[in-house]
Amino acid sequence: MPSAKILSLFLFCCLPLLLPPALAEEAPQRQHSAHVHGQAQLNLVLDGDTLLIELQSPAANLLGFEHAPRTAEQREYLQHTAEGLRQAQRLFVFTPQDACQLQQVALDSPLLEAEAGEDHDHADISAHYHYQCQAPERIEVRLFAEFPAIQVLHAQMVSSDTQQQKALTAEQAGMDF
């Protein structure tokens, strides 16, 4: 049975992923930290055999720009970046290697739905990953290699056994469960 704290965090962070779009808009919303280039937020919730990971980043860290794509090259780069974010196996590596199996990926950003001419200043991109896991021991975060503009990932992990916060960098990009 999940603890009240884990269930509360799950509902706060990840419930919108499981709801139909119309209901997701009414789901609890959490406060996002300040929008700082070079920094991003990584939230991990392990509840039983379910691992939910949320990446929240200024678009500039991932794209080099934060406005709606204005050129064909920017539109292509946005699509390329979205595809890169969907390739979770390149971004997150588990020990043991087969400890976690990806179930679902969802991306959210006004830039992904922007119409031509529509502008968004200081837009963020969120990526949500849902895994089924059997006794993961460690996760290595490889976002730094894929997105070098990210210098620090402020990571928070919550499970039934532990709570931890850690500033991840390219040199220290792992967390133990």
Coordinates of all heavy atoms in Angstrom, one line a residue, residues 21-115:
P21 N -7.1 14.5 -21.6 CA -6.7 15.9 -21.6 C -7.6 16.9 -21.0 O -7.2 17.8 -20.3 CB -6.5 16.2 -23.1 CG -6.2 14.8 -23.7 CD -7.0 13.8 -22.9
A22 N -8.9 16.7 -21.2 CA -9.9 17.7 -20.6 C -9.8 17.7 -19.1 O -9.9 18.7 -18.4 CB -11.3 17.4 -21.1
L23 N -9.6 16.5 -18.5 CA -9.6 16.4 -17.0 C -8.2 16.8 -16.5 O -8.1 17.3 -15.4 CB -9.9 15.0 -16.5 CG -11.4 14.6 -16.8 CD1 -11.5 13.1 -16.3 CD2 -12.3 15.5 -16.0
A24 N -7.2 16.6 -17.3 CA -5.8 16.9 -16.8 C -5.7 18.4 -16.5 O -4.9 18.7 -15.6 CB -4.8 16.5 -17.9
E25 N -6.4 19.2 -17.2 CA -6.3 20.7 -17.0 C -6.8 21.0 -15.6 O -6.4 22.0 -15.0 CB -7.1 21.4 -18.0 CG -6.5 21.3 -19.4 CD -7.4 22.0 -20.5 OE1 -8.3 22.7 -20.1 OE2 -7.0 21.8 -21.7
E26 N -7.7 20.2 -15.0 CA -8.2 20.4 -13.7 C -7.4 19.8 -12.6 O -7.7 20.0 -11.4 CB -9.7 20.0 -13.6 CG -10.6 20.7 -14.6 CD -12.0 20.2 -14.7 OE1 -12.3 19.5 -13.7 OE2 -12.7 20.5 -15.6
A27 N -6.5 18.9 -12.9 CA -5.7 18.2 -11.9 C -4.8 19.2 -11.1 O -4.5 20.3 -11.6 CB -4.8 17.2 -12.6
P28 N -4.4 18.8 -9.9 CA -3.6 19.7 -9.1 C -2.3 20.1 -9.8 O -1.7 19.3 -10.5 CB -3.2 18.9 -7.9 CG -4.0 17.6 -7.9 CD -4.6 17.5 -9.3
Q29 N -2.0 21.4 -9.8 CA -0.8 21.9 -10.4 C 0.2 22.3 -9.3 O -0.2 22.8 -8.3 CB -1.1 23.2 -11.2 CG -2.1 22.9 -12.4 CD -1.5 21.9 -13.4 OE1 -0.4 22.1 -13.8 NE2 -2.3 20.9 -13.7
R30 N 1.5 22.0 -9.6 CA 2.5 22.3 -8.6 C 3.2 23.6 -9.0 O 3.2 23.9 -10.1 CB 3.5 21.2 -8.4 CG 4.3 20.8 -9.6 CD 5.1 19.6 -9.3 NE 5.9 19.3 -10.5 CZ 7.0 19.8 -10.9 NH1 7.5 20.8 -10.2 NH2 7.6 19.4 -12.0
Q31 N 3.8 24.2 -8.1 CA 4.6 25.4 -8.3 C 5.9 25.0 -8.9 O 6.6 24.1 -8.5 CB 4.8 26.2 -7.0 CG 3.6 26.8 -6.4 CD 3.1 28.0 -7.2 OE1 3.8 28.6 -8.0 NE2 1.8 28.2 -7.1
H32 N 6.3 25.7 -10.0 CA 7.5 25.4 -10.6 C 8.6 26.4 -10.1 O 8.3 27.5 -9.8 CB 7.5 25.5 -12.2 CG 6.5 24.6 -12.8 ND1 6.8 23.2 -12.8 CD2 5.3 24.7 -13.3 CE1 5.8 22.6 -13.4 NE2 4.9 23.4 -13.7
S33 N 9.8 25.9 -10.0 CA 10.8 26.8 -9.5 C 11.2 27.8 -10.6 O 10.7 27.8 -11.7 CB 12.1 26.0 -9.2 OG 12.5 25.3 -10.4
A34 N 12.0 28.8 -10.2 CA 12.3 29.9 -11.1 C 12.9 29.3 -12.4 O 13.6 28.3 -12.4 CB 13.3 30.8 -10.4
H35 N 12.6 30.0 -13.5 CA 13.1 29.7 -14.8 C 14.6 30.2 -14.9 O 14.8 31.3 -15.1 CB 12.2 30.4 -15.8 CG 12.5 30.2 -17.2 ND1 11.9 29.2 -18.0 CD2 13.4 30.8 -18.0 CE1 12.3 29.3 -19.2 NE2 13.3 30.2 -19.3
V36 N 15.5 29.2 -14.8 CA 16.9 29.6 -14.9 C 17.6 28.8 -16.0 O 17.6 27.6 -15.9 CB 17.6 29.4 -13.5 CG1 19.1 29.7 -13.6 CG2 16.9 30.1 -12.4
H37 N 18.2 29.5 -16.9 CA 18.9 28.8 -18.0 C 20.1 28.1 -17.4 O 20.8 28.5 -16.5 CB 19.4 29.8 -19.1 CG 18.3 30.5 -19.8 ND1 18.4 31.3 -20.8 CD2 16.9 30.4 -19.6 CE1 17.3 31.7 -21.3 NE2 16.3 31.2 -20.5
G38 N 20.4 26.9 -18.0 CA 21.5 26.1 -17.5 C 21.1 25.1 -16.4 O 21.8 24.2 -16.0
Q39 N 19.9 25.3 -15.9 CA 19.4 24.5 -14.8 C 18.1 23.9 -15.2 O 17.3 24.4 -15.9 CB 19.2 25.3 -13.5 CG 20.5 25.9 -13.0 CD 20.3 26.6 -11.7 OE1 19.4 26.4 -10.9 NE2 21.2 27.6 -11.4
A40 N 17.8 22.7 -14.6 CA 16.5 22.0 -14.9 C 16.2 21.2 -13.6 O 17.0 21.0 -12.7 CB 16.7 21.0 -16.1
Q41 N 15.0 20.7 -13.6 CA 14.4 20.0 -12.4 C 14.1 18.6 -12.9 O 13.6 18.3 -13.9 CB 13.1 20.7 -11.9 CG 12.5 20.1 -10.7 CD 13.3 20.4 -9.5 OE1 13.9 21.5 -9.3 NE2 13.3 19.4 -8.5
L42 N 14.5 17.6 -12.0 CA 14.2 16.2 -12.3 C 13.6 15.6 -11.0 O 14.2 15.6 -10.0 CB 15.5 15.4 -12.6 CG 15.4 14.0 -13.1 CD1 14.7 14.0 -14.5 CD2 16.7 13.3 -13.1
N43 N 12.3 15.1 -11.2 CA 11.6 14.5 -10.1 C 11.4 13.1 -10.3 O 11.0 12.7 -11.4 CB 10.2 15.2 -9.9 CG 10.4 16.7 -9.6 OD1 11.1 17.1 -8.7 ND2 9.7 17.5 -10.4
L44 N 11.7 12.2 -9.4 CA 11.6 10.8 -9.5 C 10.7 10.3 -8.3 O 11.0 10.6 -7.2 CB 12.9 10.1 -9.4 CG 13.9 10.5 -10.5 CD1 14.9 11.5 -10.0 CD2 14.7 9.3 -11.0
V45 N 9.7 9.5 -8.6 CA 8.8 8.9 -7.6 C 8.8 7.4 -7.9 O 8.3 7.0 -8.9 CB 7.4 9.5 -7.6 CG1 6.5 8.8 -6.6 CG2 7.4 11.0 -7.4
L46 N 9.3 6.6 -6.9 CA 9.2 5.2 -7.0 C 8.2 4.7 -6.0 O 8.4 4.9 -4.8 CB 10.6 4.6 -6.7 CG 10.7 3.0 -6.7 CD1 10.4 2.5 -8.1 CD2 12.1 2.6 -6.3
D47 N 7.1 4.1 -6.5 CA 6.1 3.5 -5.6 C 5.8 2.1 -6.0 O 5.3 1.8 -7.1 CB 4.8 4.4 -5.8 CG 3.7 4.0 -4.8 OD1 4.0 3.3 -3.8 OD2 2.6 4.4 -5.0
G48 N 6.3 1.2 -5.2 CA 6.2 -0.2 -5.5 C 7.1 -0.5 -6.8 O 8.2 -0.2 -6.8
D49 N 6.4 -1.0 -7.8 CA 7.2 -1.3 -9.0 C 6.9 -0.2 -10.1 O 7.3 -0.4 -11.3 CB 6.8 -2.7 -9.6 CG 5.4 -2.8 -10.0 OD1 4.6 -1.9 -9.8 OD2 5.0 -3.8 -10.6
T50 N 6.4 0.9 -9.7 CA 6.1 2.0 -10.6 C 7.1 3.2 -10.4 O 7.2 3.6 -9.2 CB 4.7 2.6 -10.5 OG1 3.8 1.5 -10.8 CG2 4.4 3.7 -11.4
L51 N 7.8 3.6 -11.4 CA 8.7 4.7 -11.3 C 8.2 5.8 -12.3 O 8.1 5.5 -13.5 CB 10.2 4.3 -11.7 CG 11.2 5.5 -11.8 CD1 11.4 6.2 -10.4 CD2 12.5 5.0 -12.4
L52 N 8.0 7.0 -11.8 CA 7.6 8.1 -12.6 C 8.7 9.1 -12.5 O 9.2 9.5 -11.4 CB 6.3 8.7 -12.0 CG 5.1 7.7 -12.0 CD1 4.0 8.3 -11.2 CD2 4.7 7.4 -13.4
I53 N 9.2 9.6 -13.7 CA 10.2 10.6 -13.8 C 9.6 11.8 -14.5 O 9.0 11.6 -15.6 CB 11.4 10.1 -14.5 CG1 12.0 8.8 -13.8 CG2 12.5 11.2 -14.7 CD1 13.2 8.2 -14.6
E54 N 9.9 13.0 -14.0 CA 9.5 14.2 -14.6 C 10.7 15.1 -14.8 O 11.4 15.4 -13.9 CB 8.4 15.0 -13.8 CG 8.1 16.3 -14.4 CD 7.3 17.2 -13.5 OE1 7.6 17.3 -12.3 OE2 6.3 17.8 -14.0
L55 N 10.9 15.5 -16.0 CA 12.0 16.5 -16.4 C 11.3 17.8 -16.7 O 10.4 17.8 -17.5 CB 12.8 16.0 -17.6 CG 13.8 17.1 -18.2 CD1 14.9 17.4 -17.2 CD2 14.3 16.6 -19.5
Q56 N 11.7 18.9 -16.1 CA 11.2 20.2 -16.3 C 12.4 21.1 -16.6 O 13.3 21.3 -15.8 CB 10.5 20.7 -15.0 CG 9.7 22.0 -15.1 CD 8.5 21.8 -16.0 OE1 8.5 22.2 -17.1 NE2 7.4 21.3 -15.4
S57 N 12.4 21.7 -17.8 CA 13.5 22.5 -18.2 C 13.1 23.7 -19.1 O 12.2 23.6 -19.9 CB 14.5 21.6 -19.1 OG 15.6 22.4 -19.6
P58 N 13.8 24.8 -18.9 CA 13.6 25.9 -19.8 C 13.9 25.4 -21.2 O 14.9 24.6 -21.4 CB 14.7 27.0 -19.4 CG 14.9 26.7 -17.9 CD 14.8 25.2 -17.8
A59 N 13.1 25.8 -22.2 CA 13.3 25.4 -23.6 C 14.7 25.7 -24.1 O 15.3 25.0 -24.9 CB 12.2 25.9 -24.5
A60 N 15.3 26.8 -23.6 CA 16.6 27.2 -24.1 C 17.7 26.2 -23.8 O 18.6 26.0 -24.6 CB 17.0 28.6 -23.4
N61 N 17.5 25.4 -22.7 CA 18.5 24.4 -22.4 C 18.4 23.2 -23.4 O 19.4 22.6 -23.6 CB 18.2 23.7 -21.0 CG 18.4 24.7 -19.9 OD1 19.1 25.7 -20.0 ND2 17.9 24.3 -18.7
L62 N 17.3 23.0 -24.0 CA 17.1 21.9 -24.9 C 17.2 22.3 -26.4 O 17.6 21.5 -27.2 CB 15.8 21.2 -24.6 CG 15.5 20.8 -23.2 CD1 14.1 20.3 -23.0 CD2 16.5 19.8 -22.7
L63 N 16.7 23.6 -26.7 CA 16.6 24.0 -28.1 C 17.6 25.1 -28.4 O 17.9 25.3 -29.6 CB 15.2 24.6 -28.3 CG 14.0 23.6 -28.1 CD1 12.7 24.3 -28.2 CD2 14.1 22.6 -29.2
G64 N 18.0 25.9 -27.4 CA 18.7 27.1 -27.8 C 17.9 28.3 -28.0 O 18.4 29.4 -28.2
F65 N 16.5 28.1 -27.9 CA 15.6 29.3 -28.1 C 14.3 28.9 -27.2 O 14.1 27.7 -26.9 CB 15.2 29.6 -29.5 CG 14.6 28.4 -30.3 CD1 13.2 28.2 -30.3 CD2 15.4 27.5 -31.0 CE1 12.7 27.2 -31.0 CE2 14.9 26.5 -31.7 CZ 13.5 26.3 -31.7
E66 N 13.5 29.9 -26.9 CA 12.3 29.7 -26.1 C 11.1 30.2 -26.7 O 10.0 30.1 -26.1 CB 12.5 30.4 -24.7 CG 13.7 29.9 -23.9 CD 13.8 30.6 -22.6 OE1 13.8 31.8 -22.6 OE2 13.8 29.8 -21.6
H67 N 11.1 30.7 -27.9 CA 10.0 31.2 -28.6 C 9.4 30.1 -29.6 O 10.1 29.1 -29.8 CB 10.3 32.5 -29.4 CG 11.5 32.3 -30.3 ND1 11.4 31.6 -31.5 CD2 12.8 32.6 -30.1 CE1 12.6 31.5 -32.0 NE2 13.5 32.2 -31.2
A68 N 8.2 30.3 -30.1 CA 7.7 29.4 -31.1 C 8.7 29.4 -32.3 O 9.2 30.5 -32.6 CB 6.3 29.9 -31.5
P69 N 8.9 28.3 -32.9 CA 9.8 28.2 -34.0 C 9.4 29.2 -35.1 O 8.2 29.3 -35.5 CB 9.6 26.8 -34.5 CG 9.0 26.0 -33.4 CD 8.2 27.0 -32.6
R70 N 10.4 29.9 -35.6 CA 10.1 31.0 -36.6 C 10.6 30.6 -38.0 O 10.2 31.2 -38.9 CB 10.8 32.3 -36.2 CG 10.2 32.8 -34.9 CD 10.8 34.1 -34.5 NE 10.3 34.6 -33.2 CZ 10.9 35.1 -32.2 NH1 12.3 35.3 -32.3 NH2 10.3 35.5 -31.1
T71 N 11.4 29.6 -38.0 CA 12.0 29.2 -39.3 C 11.8 27.7 -39.5 O 11.5 27.0 -38.5 CB 13.5 29.5 -39.4 OG1 14.2 28.7 -38.4 CG2 13.8 31.0 -39.1
A72 N 11.9 27.2 -40.7 CA 11.8 25.8 -41.0 C 12.9 25.1 -40.2 O 12.7 24.0 -39.7 CB 12.0 25.5 -42.5
E73 N 14.1 25.6 -40.1 CA 15.2 25.0 -39.3 C 14.8 24.9 -37.9 O 15.1 23.8 -37.3 CB 16.5 25.9 -39.5 CG 17.7 25.3 -38.8 CD 18.9 26.1 -39.0 OE1 19.0 27.2 -38.3 OE2 19.8 25.8 -39.8
Q74 N 14.2 25.9 -37.3 CA 13.8 25.8 -35.9 C 12.7 24.8 -35.7 O 12.7 24.1 -34.7 CB 13.4 27.2 -35.3 CG 14.6 28.1 -35.1 CD 14.1 29.5 -34.6 OE1 13.0 29.9 -34.7 NE2 15.1 30.2 -34.1
R75 N 11.8 24.7 -36.6 CA 10.7 23.7 -36.5 C 11.3 22.3 -36.5 O 10.9 21.4 -35.8 CB 9.6 23.9 -37.6 CG 8.7 25.1 -37.3 CD 7.5 25.1 -38.3 NE 8.0 25.6 -39.6 CZ 8.2 26.8 -40.0 NH1 8.0 27.8 -39.1 NH2 8.6 27.1 -41.2
E76 N 12.2 22.1 -37.4 CA 12.9 20.8 -37.6 C 13.7 20.5 -36.3 O 13.6 19.4 -35.8 CB 13.8 20.8 -38.8 CG 14.4 19.5 -39.0 CD 15.3 19.5 -40.3 OE1 14.9 20.1 -41.3 OE2 16.4 19.0 -40.2
Y77 N 14.4 21.5 -35.8 CA 15.1 21.2 -34.5 C 14.2 20.9 -33.4 O 14.6 20.1 -32.5 CB 16.1 22.4 -34.2 CG 17.1 22.1 -33.2 CD1 18.1 21.2 -33.5 CD2 17.1 22.5 -31.9 CE1 19.1 20.8 -32.6 CE2 18.0 22.2 -31.0 CZ 19.0 21.3 -31.3 OH 19.9 20.9 -30.4
L78 N 13.1 21.6 -33.3 CA 12.1 21.3 -32.2 C 11.6 19.8 -32.3 O 11.6 19.1 -31.3 CB 10.9 22.3 -32.3 CG 9.8 22.0 -31.3 CD1 10.2 22.1 -29.8 CD2 8.7 23.0 -31.6
Q79 N 11.3 19.4 -33.5 CA 10.9 18.0 -33.7 C 12.0 17.0 -33.4 O 11.8 16.0 -32.8 CB 10.4 17.8 -35.1 CG 9.1 18.6 -35.4 CD 8.0 18.3 -34.3 OE1 7.7 17.1 -34.0 NE2 7.4 19.3 -33.8
H80 N 13.2 17.3 -33.8 CA 14.4 16.5 -33.5 C 14.6 16.4 -32.0 O 14.8 15.3 -31.4 CB 15.6 17.1 -34.2 CG 16.9 16.4 -33.8 ND1 17.3 15.2 -34.3 CD2 17.9 16.8 -32.9 CE1 18.4 14.8 -33.8 NE2 18.8 15.8 -32.9
T81 N 14.5 17.5 -31.3 CA 14.6 17.5 -29.8 C 13.5 16.7 -29.1 O 13.8 16.0 -28.2 CB 14.6 19.0 -29.3 OG1 15.7 19.7 -29.9 CG2 14.7 19.0 -27.8
A82 N 12.3 16.9 -29.6 CA 11.2 16.1 -29.0 C 11.4 14.6 -29.2 O 11.2 13.8 -28.3 CB 9.9 16.5 -29.7
E83 N 11.9 14.2 -30.4 CA 12.2 12.8 -30.6 C 13.4 12.3 -29.7 O 13.3 11.2 -29.1 CB 12.6 12.5 -32.1 CG 11.4 12.5 -33.0 CD 10.3 11.5 -32.5 OE1 10.7 10.4 -32.2 OE2 9.2 11.9 -32.5
G84 N 14.4 13.2 -29.4 CA 15.4 12.9 -28.5 C 14.9 12.7 -27.1 O 15.4 11.8 -26.4
L85 N 14.0 13.5 -26.7 CA 13.4 13.4 -25.3 C 12.6 12.1 -25.2 O 12.4 11.6 -24.1 CB 12.5 14.6 -25.0 CG 13.3 15.9 -24.7 CD1 12.4 17.1 -24.7 CD2 14.1 15.7 -23.4
R86 N 12.0 11.6 -26.3 CA 11.2 10.4 -26.3 C 12.1 9.2 -26.2 O 11.6 8.1 -25.9 CB 10.3 10.3 -27.5 CG 9.1 11.3 -27.4 CD 8.2 11.1 -28.6 NE 7.1 12.1 -28.6 CZ 7.1 13.2 -29.2 NH1 8.1 13.6 -30.0 NH2 6.1 14.1 -29.1
Q87 N 13.4 9.3 -26.5 CA 14.3 8.1 -26.4 C 14.9 8.0 -25.0 O 16.1 8.2 -24.8 CB 15.4 8.3 -27.5 CG 14.8 8.3 -28.9 CD 15.9 8.4 -30.0 OE1 17.1 8.3 -29.7 NE2 15.5 8.8 -31.2
A88 N 14.0 7.6 -24.1 CA 14.4 7.5 -22.7 C 15.6 6.6 -22.5 O 16.4 6.9 -21.5 CB 13.2 7.0 -21.9
Q89 N 15.7 5.5 -23.2 CA 16.9 4.6 -23.0 C 18.2 5.3 -23.2 O 19.2 4.9 -22.6 CB 16.8 3.4 -23.9 CG 17.1 3.7 -25.4 CD 15.9 4.3 -26.2 OE1 14.9 4.6 -25.6 NE2 16.1 4.5 -27.5
R90 N 18.2 6.4 -23.9 CA 19.5 7.2 -24.1 C 19.7 8.2 -22.9 O 20.8 8.7 -22.7 CB 19.5 7.9 -25.4 CG 19.5 7.0 -26.6 CD 19.5 7.8 -27.9 NE 20.7 8.6 -27.9 CZ 21.3 9.1 -28.9 NH1 20.8 8.8 -30.1 NH2 22.3 9.9 -28.9
L91 N 18.6 8.5 -22.2 CA 18.6 9.6 -21.2 C 18.8 9.0 -19.8 O 19.3 9.7 -18.9 CB 17.4 10.4 -21.3 CG 17.1 11.0 -22.6 CD1 15.8 11.8 -22.6 CD2 18.2 11.9 -23.1
F92 N 18.3 7.8 -19.6 CA 18.2 7.2 -18.2 C 18.7 5.7 -18.4 O 18.2 4.9 -19.1 CB 16.8 7.2 -17.6 CG 16.2 8.6 -17.6 CD1 15.2 8.9 -18.5 CD2 16.7 9.6 -16.8 CE1 14.6 10.2 -18.5 CE2 16.1 10.8 -16.8 CZ 15.1 11.1 -17.7
V93 N 19.8 5.4 -17.6 CA 20.3 4.0 -17.6 C 20.2 3.5 -16.2 O 20.7 4.2 -15.2 CB 21.8 4.0 -18.1 CG1 22.4 2.6 -18.1 CG2 21.8 4.6 -19.6
F94 N 19.7 2.3 -16.1 CA 19.5 1.7 -14.7 C 20.4 0.6 -14.4 O 20.9 -0.1 -15.3 CB 18.0 1.2 -14.7 CG 17.0 2.2 -14.8 CD1 16.5 2.5 -16.0 CD2 16.5 2.9 -13.7 CE1 15.5 3.5 -16.2 CE2 15.6 3.9 -13.8 CZ 15.0 4.2 -15.1
T95 N 20.7 0.4 -13.1 CA 21.5 -0.7 -12.6 C 20.6 -1.5 -11.7 O 20.0 -0.9 -10.8 CB 22.7 -0.2 -11.9 OG1 23.5 0.6 -12.7 CG2 23.6 -1.4 -11.4
P96 N 20.4 -2.8 -11.9 CA 20.8 -3.6 -13.0 C 20.2 -3.1 -14.3 O 19.1 -2.4 -14.3 CB 20.5 -5.0 -12.7 CG 19.5 -4.9 -11.6 CD 19.6 -3.6 -10.9
Q97 N 20.8 -3.4 -15.4 CA 20.4 -2.9 -16.7 C 18.9 -3.1 -17.1 O 18.3 -2.3 -17.7 CB 21.3 -3.5 -17.8 CG 21.1 -2.8 -19.2 CD 22.1 -3.3 -20.2 OE1 22.8 -4.3 -19.9 NE2 22.2 -2.7 -21.3
D98 N 18.4 -4.3 -16.7 CA 17.0 -4.6 -17.0 C 16.0 -4.3 -15.9 O 14.9 -4.8 -15.8 CB 16.9 -6.0 -17.5 CG 17.3 -7.0 -16.5 OD1 17.9 -6.6 -15.4 OD2 17.1 -8.2 -16.7
A99 N 16.4 -3.5 -14.9 CA 15.6 -3.3 -13.7 C 14.3 -2.5 -14.0 O 13.3 -2.7 -13.4 CB 16.4 -2.5 -12.7
C100 N 14.3 -1.7 -15.0 CA 13.2 -0.9 -15.4 C 12.8 -0.9 -16.8 O 13.7 -0.8 -17.7 CB 13.4 0.6 -15.0 SG 13.6 0.8 -13.2
Q101 N 11.5 -1.1 -17.1 CA 11.1 -1.1 -18.5 C 10.1 0.1 -18.8 O 9.2 0.3 -18.0 CB 10.3 -2.4 -18.8 CG 11.1 -3.7 -18.5 CD 12.3 -3.7 -19.4 OE1 12.2 -3.5 -20.6 NE2 13.5 -4.1 -18.9
L102 N 10.5 0.8 -19.8 CA 9.7 2.0 -20.1 C 8.3 1.6 -20.6 O 8.1 0.7 -21.4 CB 10.4 2.8 -21.2 CG 9.7 4.1 -21.7 CD1 9.8 5.1 -20.5 CD2 10.4 4.7 -22.9
Q103 N 7.3 2.3 -20.0 CA 5.9 2.1 -20.4 C 5.3 3.2 -21.2 O 4.5 3.0 -22.1 CB 5.0 1.9 -19.1 CG 5.5 0.8 -18.2 CD 5.4 -0.5 -18.9 OE1 4.3 -0.9 -19.3 NE2 6.5 -1.3 -18.9
Q104 N 5.7 4.5 -20.9 CA 5.0 5.6 -21.6 C 5.9 6.8 -21.4 O 6.6 7.0 -20.4 CB 3.7 5.9 -20.9 CG 2.9 7.0 -21.5 CD 1.6 7.3 -20.7 OE1 1.4 6.7 -19.7 NE2 0.8 8.2 -21.3
V105 N 5.9 7.7 -22.5 CA 6.6 9.0 -22.5 C 5.5 10.0 -22.9 O 4.8 9.8 -23.9 CB 7.8 9.0 -23.4 CG1 8.4 10.4 -23.5 CG2 8.8 8.0 -23.1
A106 N 5.5 11.1 -22.2 CA 4.6 12.2 -22.6 C 5.4 13.5 -22.5 O 6.2 13.8 -21.6 CB 3.4 12.3 -21.7
L107 N 5.3 14.4 -23.6 CA 6.0 15.7 -23.6 C 4.9 16.8 -23.5 O 3.8 16.6 -24.0 CB 6.8 15.9 -24.9 CG 7.8 14.8 -25.2 CD1 8.5 15.2 -26.5 CD2 8.8 14.7 -24.0
D108 N 5.3 17.9 -22.9 CA 4.4 19.0 -22.7 C 5.1 20.3 -22.8 O 6.1 20.5 -22.1 CB 3.7 18.9 -21.3 CG 2.6 20.0 -21.1 OD1 1.9 20.3 -22.1 OD2 2.6 20.5 -20.0
S109 N 4.7 21.1 -23.7 CA 5.2 22.5 -23.9 C 4.3 23.3 -24.8 O 3.8 22.7 -25.8 CB 6.6 22.4 -24.5 OG 7.1 23.7 -24.7
P110 N 4.1 24.6 -24.6 CA 3.4 25.4 -25.5 C 4.1 25.4 -26.9 O 3.4 25.6 -27.9 CB 3.3 26.7 -24.9 CG 4.4 26.8 -23.8 CD 4.6 25.3 -23.4
L111 N 5.4 25.2 -26.9 CA 6.1 25.2 -28.2 C 5.8 24.1 -29.1 O 5.8 24.2 -30.3 CB 7.6 25.2 -27.9 CG 8.2 26.4 -27.1 CD1 9.7 26.3 -26.9 CD2 7.8 27.7 -27.7
L112 N 5.4 22.9 -28.5 CA 5.0 21.8 -29.3 C 3.7 21.9 -30.0 O 3.4 21.2 -30.9 CB 5.1 20.5 -28.4 CG 6.4 20.1 -27.8 CD1 6.2 19.0 -26.8 CD2 7.3 19.7 -28.9
E113 N 2.9 22.8 -29.5 CA 1.6 23.1 -30.0 C 1.4 24.5 -30.6 O 0.3 24.8 -31.0 CB 0.5 22.9 -28.9 CG 0.6 21.5 -28.3 CD -0.1 21.4 -26.9 OE1 -0.7 22.3 -26.5 OE2 0.1 20.3 -26.3
A114 N 2.5 25.2 -30.7 CA 2.4 26.6 -31.1 C 2.1 26.7 -32.6 O 2.5 25.9 -33.4 CB 3.7 27.3 -30.9
E115 N 1.2 27.6 -32.9 CA 0.9 28.0 -34.3 C 1.9 28.9 -34.8 O 2.5 29.7 -34.1 CB -0.5 28.6 -34.3 CG -1.6 27.7 -33.6 CD -2.5 27.0 -34.6 OE1 -2.5 27.5 -35.7 OE2 -3.1 26.0 -34.2

